[in-house]
């Protein structure tokens, strides 16, 4: 930083200059932007020399500014690369980061159940849709991180990881005051699938008699775990058990059968 | 070049249009804030506190940056405004904690939340706001699919880390009375503490939402950085002026021994005797720093050109931001939102 000496001014008060007056520089060169537009004819040689020093100082500041952001971006890229390649370990991070991470986890647990559930559901949903390669075998699962949870003796490190958990299904009925669902879970789609990509065949009545229920759709709802099926039986639909095969878009294997019962 | 001339070169929105856009996007964001902050049945000692800071007004700069970026990159207001609400809720949660950490007494012209309710309840409210911000963010991401959601989480976690590092730097320098600082240290702190949360992250969120994950969020980092540094220096300069801003105390940064560019400059420019006196001042607890010593420090900053230097650096950083604007947004079709983003550069100095 180049230092320049100036005249003593009034103590304590600095008047704010007019908005923008003489302050915004030329975009072609940020450093040159801070140089005075032109020296006035009345300016003394000494003053011009001083101005040149100021410009040098500001040009240096801009260079330092670019160095700082370049270094930050470089560090960010290195960190991103570590994450992407699955090389990241908590113990590789500086001690303060590990402590801070544990504090954050503890803080999350101390907050209300609702907000914590939101966080965990978000992580789950993302995990369901895009599982990062190899990390599951290298990094402890979120819930199992010491010191907040203990690993059961039967869960040795060499044990095969469990298969994908079933996809919970909450069935909601529109326009049918009395109905129940006999399905509470489906097989999880093998490919990343949005809720709108899950479809059900028309729910056919048990025994094959009567009209099927065709209005069935699937949605995500942050307030419940898993996926929500919205079933809208037409008015006057006969009571009884109805079922239909559920598919995920692009997957020929069905996820299961959705079975509901309209009651009297 | 004046701010107006720069605005012309950049095809930037004039100040009146900037104010109109912020008012429009601010209103849309407030509707979402009311929805999300009022979604739960009122809880005693909590919900009144959550609603307090957002009800005090504010420029709505961050939400406006997010929405303008989303629209400039082809997105819809309806999706972007939920993200904007998440940004504003998180920002207000951080403000509550900042006020406690800084021992601030006023926020936007009224007593701070911890001054009104005590630090424990204020900390709890800040925690709740930071997690409440996840709800509008999730709602905004739901239609976009897992890949885009993961990208948003990625840049959000990066922002959280950078912001915490910046706050730690500023607090650590003050609490450990670190005096041997350089301009690079200041820029690094301003990048992390101010630019990332205030400019870079909102722009990145808007870009990802608007482009459906197709544009690179890295492309706006440099623009946001230089904009943020210029903004921070200007903010620090205004604190020394007769009009430090709504609800702020004149020379409050000096009473708090905040490490500003002016302070770093003056400490390097002054004599050994002055430096010894300055270091003694910086080593005092806040309540022991006298108004006379603060006035002496301001006078020394004027005499040694520290304030002029900071003003010139702020202008140069704004120039760098304008340069980076072209690189980040130059390929986009002209639009009111693109002009708004360009207008942020001169607006730093023209803002009320």
């Amino acid at each position: 930083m180049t230092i320049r000496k100036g005249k003593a001014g009034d103590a304590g008060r600095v008047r704010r200059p007019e908005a923008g007056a003489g302050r915004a520089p030329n975009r072609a060169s940020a450093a040159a932007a801070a140089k005075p537009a032109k020296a006035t004819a009345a300016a003394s040689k000494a003053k011009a020399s001083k101005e040149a020093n100021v410009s040098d100082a500001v040009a240096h500041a801009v260079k330092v500014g670019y160095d700082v952001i370049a270094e930050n971006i470089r560090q960010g890229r290195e960190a991103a690369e570590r994450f992407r390649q699955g090389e990241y370990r908590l113990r590789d991070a500086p001690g303060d980061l590990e402590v801070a991470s544990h504090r954050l986890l503890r803080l999350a647990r101390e907050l209300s159940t609702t907000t914590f559930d939101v966080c965990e559901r978000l992580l789950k949903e993302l995990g369901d849709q895009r599982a990062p390669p190899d990390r599951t075998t290298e990094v402890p699962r979120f819930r199992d991180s010491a010191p907040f949870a203990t690993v059961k003796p039967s869960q040795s490190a060499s044990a095969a990881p469990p298969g994908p958990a079933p996809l919970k299904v909450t069935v909601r009925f529109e326009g049918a005051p009395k109905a129940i669902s006999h399905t509470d879970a489906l097989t999880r789609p093998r490919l990343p699938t949005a809720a709108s990509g899950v479809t059900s065949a028309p729910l056919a009545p048990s025994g094959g008699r009567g009209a099927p229920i065709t209005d069935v759709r699937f949605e995500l709802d942050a307030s419940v775990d898993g996926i929500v099926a919205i079933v809208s039986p037409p008015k006057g639909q006969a009571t009884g058990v109805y079922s239909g095969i559920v598919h995920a878009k692009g997957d020929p294997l069905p996820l299961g059968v959705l079975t509901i019962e309209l009651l009297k | 070049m004046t701010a107006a001339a720069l605005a012309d070169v950049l095809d930037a929105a004039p100040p009146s249009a900037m104010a109109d856009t912020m008012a429009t996007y601010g209103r849309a964001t407030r509707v979402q804030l009311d929805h999300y902050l009022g979604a739960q049945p009122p809880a005693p000692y909590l919900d009144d506190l959550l609603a307090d800071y957002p009800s005090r007004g504010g420029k709505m700069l961050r939400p406006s940056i997010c929405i303008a970026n989303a629209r400039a990159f082809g997105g819809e207001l309806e999706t972007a405004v939920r993200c904007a609400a998440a940004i504003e809720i998180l920002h207000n949660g951080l403000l509550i904690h900042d006020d406690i950490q800084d021992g601030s007494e006023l926020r936007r012209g009224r007593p701070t939340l911890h001054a009104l309710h005590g630090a424990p309840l204020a900390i709890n409210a800040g925690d709740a706001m930071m997690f409440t911000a996840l709800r509008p963010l999730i709602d905004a991401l739901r239609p976009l699919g897992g890949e885009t959601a993961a990208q948003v989480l990625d840049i959000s976690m990066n922002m959280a880390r950078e912001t915490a590092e910046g706050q730690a730097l500023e607090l650590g320098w003050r609490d450990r009375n670190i005096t041997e600082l350089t301009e690079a240290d200041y820029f690094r702190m301003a990048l992390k503490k101010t630019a990332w949360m205030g400019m870079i992250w909102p722009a990145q969120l808007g870009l990802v939402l608007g482009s459906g994950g197709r544009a690179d969020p890295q492309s706006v980092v440099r623009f946001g950085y230089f904009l943020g540094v210029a903004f921070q220096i200007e903010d620090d300069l205004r604190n020394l002026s007769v009009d430090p801003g709504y609800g702020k105390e004149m020379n409050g940064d000096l009473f708090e021994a905040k490490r500003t560019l002016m302070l770093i400059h003056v400490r390097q420019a002054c004599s050994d005797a002055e430096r010894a006196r300055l270091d003694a001042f910086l080593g005092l607890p806040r309540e022991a720093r006298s108004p006379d010593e603060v006035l002496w420090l301001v006078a020394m900053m004027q005499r040694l050109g520290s304030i002029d230097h900071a003003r010139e650096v702020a202008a140069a950083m704004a120039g760098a931001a304008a340069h980076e604007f072209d690189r980040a947004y130059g390929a986009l079709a002209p639009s009111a939102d693109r002009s708004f983003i360009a207008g942020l550069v001169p607006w730093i100095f023209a803002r009320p």
Side-chain angles (χ1 to χ4, degrees):
Chain A
M1 191 186 304
T2 305
I3 305 304
R4 91 185 159 106
K5 306 278 182 181
K7 289 191 292 186
D10 295 337
R13 295 203 159 193
V14 181
R15 196 158 295 281
R16 192 197 293 183
E18 289 302 311
R23 309 164 96 206
N26 189 319
R27 65 177 168 159
S29 164
K35 292 179 181 177
K38 53 179 140 180
T40 61
S44 68
K45 191 176 177 182
K47 185 177 178 185
S49 170
K50 193 166 77 173
E51 294 290 352
N53 282 340
V54 172
S55 298
D56 289 346
V58 173
H60 175 72
V62 173
K63 180 189 176 301
V64 170
Y66 268 99
D67 289 346
V68 165
I69 190 64
E71 174 66 11
N72 183 274
I73 289 172
R74 187 191 63 76
Q75 289 178 353
R77 283 187 173 146
E78 284 181 7
E81 194 61 23
R82 282 201 301 276
F83 278 106
R84 284 201 187 97
Q85 294 183 356
E87 295 173 357
Y88 183 77
R89 307 283 190 286
L90 195 57
R91 59 179 163 278
D92 291 341
D96 61 338
L97 174 58
E98 185 170 353
V99 170
S101 302
H102 286 313
R103 280 184 186 157
L104 181 62
L105 290 172
R106 194 159 53 243
L107 172 66
R109 282 164 172 77
E110 288 167 359
L111 282 170
S112 74
T113 306
T114 304
T115 49
F116 181 58
D117 283 352
V118 170
C119 301
E120 194 166 63
R121 183 164 301 113
L122 177 65
L123 293 171
K124 266 189 188 171
E125 284 179 9
L126 291 172
D128 293 344
Q129 294 180 50
R130 198 187 74 157
D134 301 326
R135 273 191 229 162
T136 51
T137 56
E138 297 173 3
V139 181
R141 287 175 62 83
F142 183 59
R143 276 290 198 189
D144 298 339
S145 298
F148 304 110
T150 54
V151 178
K152 293 176 184 172
S154 59
Q155 294 175 320
S156 67
S158 60
L167 178 63
K168 288 186 180 175
V169 181
T170 302
V171 181
R172 291 178 182 158
F173 297 93
E174 289 180 344
K178 289 185 180 177
I180 58 172
S181 170
H182 294 287
T183 303
D184 58 8
L186 295 167
T187 303
R188 197 169 286 281
R190 292 182 297 175
L191 300 170
T193 307
S196 58
V198 179
T199 55
S200 170
L203 304 184
S206 176
R209 289 186 174 181
I213 300 171
T214 56
D215 191 353
V216 182
R217 65 186 191 277
F218 291 85
E219 294 180 354
L220 276 181
D221 183 340
S223 64
V224 299
D225 200 3
I227 195 169
V228 176
I230 313 287
V231 179
S232 307
K235 207 168 183 180
Q237 184 79 25
T239 58
V241 176
Y242 294 78
S243 58
I245 297 177
V246 180
H247 275 96
K249 191 176 180 181
D251 190 345
L253 293 179
L255 304 182
V257 176
L258 177 64
T259 304
I260 62 123
E261 184 173 2
L262 299 184
L263 306 172
K264 287 183 181 175
Chain B
M1 188 182 286
T2 64
L6 181 68
D8 286 343
V9 170
L10 283 169
D11 185 26
S16 60
M18 296 294 292
D20 289 346
T21 303
M22 279 195 210
T24 302
Y25 290 164
R27 273 196 303 275
T29 305
R30 283 186 198 289
V31 171
Q32 296 294 323
L33 286 179
D34 292 344
H35 170 70
Y36 284 104
L37 292 176
Q40 305 276 352
Y45 315 115
L46 179 64
D47 282 291
D48 286 349
L49 280 70
L50 302 190
D52 190 329
Y53 276 11
S55 73
R56 297 187 186 190
K59 294 182 286 289
M60 289 286 184
L61 170 65
R62 294 163 186 81
S64 298
I65 291 176
C66 174
I67 295 171
N69 272 271
R71 286 165 57 97
F73 279 93
E76 302 284 338
L77 177 66
E78 291 73 26
T79 308
V81 78
R82 291 197 182 96
C83 239
I87 292 169
E88 192 62 13
I89 293 171
L90 183 63
H91 168 59
N92 278 281
L94 289 173
L95 285 183
I96 295 172
H97 288 182
D98 279 2
D99 287 341
I100 295 167
Q101 290 159 353
D102 294 342
S104 301
E105 295 167 356
L106 290 176
R107 167 67 59 187
R108 294 171 185 157
R110 291 178 52 200
T112 48
L113 210 60
H114 67 275
L116 291 171
H117 303 280
L121 279 177
I123 292 172
N124 188 57
D127 290 343
M129 287 192 90
M130 285 190 262
F131 282 92
T132 302
L134 286 171
R135 196 171 284 278
L137 193 61
I138 292 169
D139 286 349
L141 297 181
R142 188 175 291 129
L144 301 176
E147 282 292 329
T148 307
Q151 197 177 17
V152 166
L153 269 196
D154 202 30
I155 59 177
S156 300
M157 292 173 73
N158 191 38
M159 176 280 298
R161 174 71 194 181
E162 294 282 357
T163 303
E165 285 184 9
Q167 184 74 352
L169 278 179
E170 187 172 66
L171 294 175
W173 291 346
R174 186 193 68 189
D175 294 347
R176 307 286 188 276
N177 194 24
I178 305 299
T179 55
E180 298 287 341
L181 296 170
T182 64
E183 272 185 331
D185 293 323
Y186 176 83
F187 293 152
R188 204 169 289 119
M189 185 272 293
L191 162 66
K192 292 169 180 292
K193 174 179 163 272
T194 303
W196 218 283
M197 166 74 193
M199 286 83 186
I200 297 170
W201 184 54
Q204 288 184 318
L205 284 182
L207 173 149
V208 171
L209 285 177
S211 70
R214 289 184 292 276
D216 179 8
Q218 275 296 113
S219 65
V220 296
V221 168
R222 284 188 174 86
F223 170 71
Y225 160 63
F226 285 112
L227 190 71
V229 173
F231 184 96
Q232 184 63 59
I233 297 171
E234 172 69 11
D235 224 37
D236 294 345
L237 282 166
R238 289 183 179 205
N239 192 265
L240 300 179
S241 77
V242 292
D243 179 17
Y246 179 57
K248 291 180 181 171
E249 176 191 16
M250 182 181 167
N251 294 333
D253 288 352
L254 297 181
F255 280 107
E256 289 176 14
K258 192 173 159 188
R259 270 48 173 178
T260 62
L261 196 60
M262 294 79 79
L263 188 71
I264 292 169
H265 182 278
V266 79
R267 192 178 175 281
Q268 294 187 1
C270 65
S271 69
D272 289 347
E274 288 168 330
R275 192 172 301 116
R277 182 176 170 182
L278 174 57
D279 288 352
F281 169 82
L282 296 176
L284 293 170
R286 188 191 196 284
E287 58 276 12
R289 294 184 189 117
S290 74
D292 285 347
E293 285 294 276
V294 166
L295 292 180
W296 163 77
L297 180 51
V298 173
M300 187 163 68
M301 284 178 170
Q302 286 185 317
R303 175 168 55 84
L304 298 179
S306 304
I307 292 165
D308 287 344
H309 174 74
R311 192 166 287 137
E312 287 153 2
V313 171
M317 292 294 159
H323 179 71
E324 296 298 335
F325 170 83
D326 270 354
R327 298 180 61 177
Y329 300 95
L332 294 182
S335 67
D337 287 292
R338 183 181 178 277
S339 295
F340 172 82
I341 298 165
L344 290 168
V345 180
W347 177 84
I348 287 172
F349 306 107
R351 65 191 148 120

